[in-house]
Amino acid sequence: MAQPELLRLVAEAPAALRDILDGARGAVQPPIRSEIFGLQRFAQHGRSLGETHRAARASSRSATFFPRLRSNILTLREAHRYIGVQASTGYDISPAAEWLLDNFHLIEAQLKEIHDGLPRRYFRALPVLLDEPLAGLPRVYGVAWAFVAHTDGAFDEELLVQFLCAYQETRELKLGEMWALPTTLRVVLIENLRRLADRVDTNKAAREVANLCCDRIESFPLQALDELLLLLEQRGVAKVFLAQMAQRLIDRRGATDSRYHDWLRLALPDPAALQAQHSADQAADNLSVSNAVTSLRALGDADWPDIVARTSALMRLMLTSPVFEAEHAATRDQALHGIEVLARRSGRGEVAVAQTLLDFMNSTADAQSADGGESTVPSHWLRGAGRPALVRALGLREPSLFGRAMPWRALRRRVALPAYLALLLAGTLGLVAWLLPRSMATLPASDPALWLMLLGAMLMLF
C-alpha cells in the first residue's frame, strides 16, 4: 500500500495528503474532453455515433451509474476539504480549485436532482449499450458523454438539438431516453468534475510532497527519491512532482549537492517543456471546470419540453396531427405513454406505433361527423372503443376477461383502491367489534369512561 510507504519516506506528510496520493486508488483519470465540434461537424458525428450504438433492453443485472455517482460525490467532497485547507493556510490555488470551492453547494445538490429525475425503475427501462467502452450503461449515457466531450462541458441548446436530430437520422431514441437526457447530462458533468477535481488535488498534493522533500533535501537519500517517484507514478503525478522539484532546486543550484541535480536531470531531461505542458493542462482544466459548473445551472433553466418536442422523433411525428397538437399537455402525455407501452409490448419502434395510430386517426377523419370526431382523437384508439383494432394492427392480442378486452394491468389499477379501502374498513370494524363488547361488559352504564370509549369507537369508524 502506498500510504504506509509514503509515511515512511515523508514522515511529515499530513494524513489527507497521504490519502489523496494512495497508489491503490489508481492513476488519475483524464477529463471527458475531446476535439471541439461546430454545428456541421457535430451533425456528422451524431449520424456516425447512431450507426455504431448497438443497444438492447436492460436486464435486472445491468450496470447502473448510481454507485459511481456516489463515489464521485465522495471524491469531490474529499477534494473540497483538501483544497479548502490549502486555501485557508495561504497556499495559492488554481482558478479551477476556486470554482470548486465557490460552487460546491451546487455540485452537492445534483445528487438529489439526479435521484429525483431518474429513479431506478425508470433507469431500468432505458436501452443499454452492447459495446465497450460503455457496455451495460444506458444508450442515452453514451449520447450525453459524446456531447460533453465535444463541447468541453459547455451547454449549448442549439448544438444539442442539432446533435440529437442528426443522431436520430440513423438511430431512433425512445421518448423515455429523451426525457432522461437532462438528468444523464448532469451525471456525466459530475463524472467530469470528479476527474478534474481529482487532478487538481492530486497535482497539488504531489507538489506539496516535492516541497517537503526539498525542505530537507540534503537528508533525503537518492534511493528514497527513486522509491517515492515509483509511488507517485501509481497515481500518475510523478512528472508533477519532478516539475516542482526542478522549480525549487533551480534556485539552490550552488547550495545543494550536485548529486540531486544529476538525479533530477536524468529523471526529467526537459523541465521547460514539461512546465509548458502543465501550464496548458491547467488552463484547459480551469475552462472545463467553469464550463461544467455553468452547465449544471443552465440545465435547470433550459426549456426541456420544447427541446424534447424539437428533437424527439415520436413527438415530431405526433405533432403533425392538428388534433394531437391542440390537446392539453396532460392528455398528450397520456397518449405518448400509451404509445410507449404498445411499442414495448409489440417490439416495434415508438415511431412505427405512432404512425399506425395516425393512419387510423386519418382514415376516420371523413367519418368524424358520424361519431362527433371521437375517432380522430388518439385516446379513442389507445384507451377507447378503437383500441382492439389498433392492437390487432400491431400484431398483439389483449387478454379477454368475461368476454371483454380488459388488460390485466388496467384491471389491477381499477380494483387496487377499492380493495385497499375494503380491507381498511374490515380491519377497523373487526377491531371495534373486538374491543367494544369487552369494555361495555366491564364498565357500568353511568361510568364516564364508557362514553369516552364509545366516542373513541366512533372516531375509529370515521
Side-chain angles (χ1 to χ4, degrees):
M1 293 290 288
Q3 270 199 27
E5 286 297 308
L6 190 61
L7 180 61
R8 178 179 63 82
L9 294 169
V10 191
E12 60 271 38
L17 184 149
R18 298 197 306 272
D19 288 340
I20 289 170
L21 294 177
D22 186 357
R25 300 171 69 162
V28 176
Q29 293 178 298
I32 303 172
R33 192 164 59 211
S34 190
E35 180 186 355
I36 304 300
F37 290 160
L39 278 173
Q40 197 169 20
R41 182 69 181 87
F42 232 134
Q44 181 184 351
H45 181 62
R47 286 187 287 270
S48 62
L49 192 66
E51 290 173 350
T52 60
H53 268 182
R54 296 190 309 123
R57 291 186 65 177
S59 67
S60 59
R61 292 180 293 179
S62 295
T64 72
F65 49 60
F66 291 109
R68 175 68 177 182
L69 177 63
R70 285 192 291 271
S71 171
N72 288 347
I73 295 295
L74 291 175
T75 302
L76 283 161
R77 286 173 182 164
E78 178 189 53
H80 179 258
R81 285 193 299 271
Y82 180 70
I83 295 168
V85 170
Q86 293 288 302
S88 65
T89 52
Y91 284 95
D92 289 334
I93 60 173
S94 66
E98 290 181 4
W99 272 93
L100 290 169
L101 286 178
D102 295 342
N103 297 278
F104 193 71
H105 63 284
L106 174 68
I107 298 169
E108 283 269 24
Q110 300 308 305
L111 189 61
K112 183 178 186 303
E113 290 277 349
I114 291 166
H115 278 287
D116 290 348
L118 199 59
R120 288 181 183 272
R121 183 177 177 185
Y122 191 101
F123 179 92
R124 294 293 186 191
L126 302 176
V128 296
L129 292 168
L130 299 176
D131 301 317
E132 294 296 344
L134 300 177
L137 287 168
R139 175 170 57 190
V140 69
Y141 187 81
V143 173
W145 187 287
F147 182 76
V148 169
H150 293 290
T151 59
D152 194 17
F155 181 73
D156 185 315
E157 185 173 317
E158 289 306 315
L159 204 58
L160 179 64
V161 169
Q162 180 90 353
F163 175 53
L164 292 174
C165 291
Y167 182 96
Q168 292 181 95
E169 291 178 19
T170 55
R171 185 79 61 180
E172 177 187 335
L173 288 171
K174 297 179 181 294
L175 185 62
E177 292 179 280
M178 304 299 294
W179 281 113
L181 184 59
T183 301
T184 310
L185 282 169
R186 283 190 170 91
V187 173
V188 178
L189 288 169
I190 291 295
E191 170 72 30
N192 202 24
L193 280 170
R194 177 246 174 91
R195 294 173 178 225
L196 290 161
D198 208 13
R199 284 228 304 195
V200 169
D201 69 355
T202 309
N203 288 352
K204 186 72 175 170
R207 285 192 288 270
E208 187 177 349
V209 168
N211 289 332
L212 292 173
C213 292
C214 289
D215 289 342
R216 59 178 185 90
I217 190 66
E218 298 293 350
S219 64
F220 216 94
L222 292 177
Q223 183 182 353
L225 283 175
D226 288 331
E227 292 178 31
L228 183 56
L229 202 59
L230 287 174
L231 291 177
L232 295 175
E233 189 62 51
Q234 295 175 23
R235 284 291 274 153
V237 290
K239 290 184 177 180
V240 177
F241 169 79
L242 290 172
Q244 184 67 14
M245 287 277 290
Q247 193 171 351
R248 286 288 305 272
L249 291 181
I250 197 170
D251 298 328
R252 302 174 55 177
R253 187 172 296 276
T256 306
D257 192 324
S258 61
R259 291 178 304 149
Y260 295 100
H261 293 282
D262 294 339
W263 175 87
L264 185 60
R265 195 160 34 249
L266 286 173
L268 185 62
D270 192 352
L274 181 61
Q275 190 62 47
Q277 182 60 52
H278 282 171
S279 297
D281 289 343
Q282 189 178 71
D285 290 350
N286 294 341
L287 181 60
S288 295
V289 171
S290 65
N291 283 346
V293 170
T294 304
S295 292
L296 287 174
R297 288 197 180 92
L299 287 172
D301 297 333
D303 186 355
W304 284 102
D306 178 67
I307 293 174
V308 171
R310 294 164 62 193
T311 56
S312 165
L314 172 60
M315 280 290 288
R316 284 186 290 167
L317 177 61
M318 289 301 296
L319 286 171
T320 61
S321 165
V323 176
F324 178 83
E325 186 178 17
E327 287 185 323
H328 188 271
T331 309
R332 281 192 199 176
D333 289 342
Q334 289 179 347
L336 294 169
H337 179 66
I339 293 170
E340 288 180 287
V341 171
L342 289 175
R344 279 198 300 272
R345 287 184 55 199
S346 65
R348 304 186 184 204
E350 292 172 353
V351 171
V353 173
Q355 187 59 63
T356 304
L357 170 63
L358 290 175
D359 290 343
F360 274 103
M361 291 166 57
N362 295 332
S363 66
T364 57
D366 295 337
Q368 60 180 332
S369 58
D371 59 7
E374 184 181 344
S375 58
T376 63
V377 177
S379 58
H380 171 79
W381 303 100
L382 292 168
R383 299 186 304 278
R387 181 179 174 87
L390 177 62
V391 168
R392 284 195 301 271
L394 295 173
L396 296 172
R397 291 178 57 192
E398 298 239 74
S400 179
L401 182 68
F402 305 122
R404 294 179 59 194
M406 179 69 73
W408 166 245
R409 289 183 179 178
L411 176 64
R412 186 176 63 186
R413 283 196 299 269
R414 289 189 182 185
V415 303
L417 182 60
Y420 169 75
L421 294 176
L423 285 172
L424 190 64
L425 178 62
T428 304
L429 288 173
L431 185 61
V432 172
W434 182 74
L435 288 174
L436 201 57
R438 287 164 173 72
S439 302
M440 294 181 68
T442 57
L443 294 173
S446 60
D447 196 322
L450 177 62
W451 297 103
L452 288 174
M453 184 65 68
L454 290 172
L455 178 62
M458 293 175 63
L459 289 174
M460 288 176 67
L461 288 172
F462 174 76

